[in-house]
Amino acid sequence: MLPPALAVLTGRDEQGVCLIARDGVGRVVSCAGAAAFMRPEHAQARSECWWGMLATDPGRRGARLSLLLGARAILIMRGRYGFGGVTTGVAPGSAPSEETILSAADPTLVAGGRMTK
């Protein structure tokens, strides 16, 4: 997934926010963003936003900067724009963000034998 355009993340063209953390000399050491992602005419366009772009300078990892900025981005999207839910994606190989989920079901009990639509 490509990140939204700057005009979206600054809130100029769409509802969105991009947050950064700077160190003592002004260097950006972490960031997070969130933005509307559904077309305005979609029935649920304002119920769920996209969230992500979590990144932290390798020398600052472990300080939970992305976690704090990401949580703040979600709160801003809810408070400023009224979004109640978020969706995100995880890049393959991003071990801190990956989670393994195992699902098991009896295919005779699941309609059509499928667990997804």
Side-chain angles (χ1 to χ4, degrees):
M1 173 185 259
L2 294 173
L6 180 61
V8 172
L9 291 175
T10 60
R12 188 187 85 196
D13 290 351
E14 190 56 75
Q15 296 170 329
V17 63
C18 181
L19 303 174
I20 61 170
R22 296 180 184 266
D23 65 12
V25 295
R27 192 171 56 103
V28 174
V29 294
S30 189
C31 68
F37 72 97
M38 293 184 201
R39 296 172 73 58
E41 62 271 13
H42 192 282
Q44 296 177 323
R46 297 296 176 237
S47 65
E48 191 169 308
C49 64
W50 169 86
W51 170 82
M53 287 191 4
L54 304 175
T56 300
D57 180 273
R60 300 294 295 255
R61 291 203 177 134
R64 304 179 71 151
L65 296 172
S66 290
L67 173 70
L68 295 170
L69 290 176
R72 183 73 182 136
I74 291 169
L75 291 172
I76 290 171
M77 292 301 286
R78 181 180 180 99
R80 187 179 296 168
Y81 303 121
F83 287 95
V86 296
T87 190
T88 192
V90 175
S94 178
S97 301
E98 290 177 337
E99 182 177 318
T100 302
I101 299 172
L102 175 64
S103 298
D106 181 344
T108 62
L109 299 176
V110 179
R114 297 178 58 190
M115 293 182 70
T116 62
K117 291 181 180 181

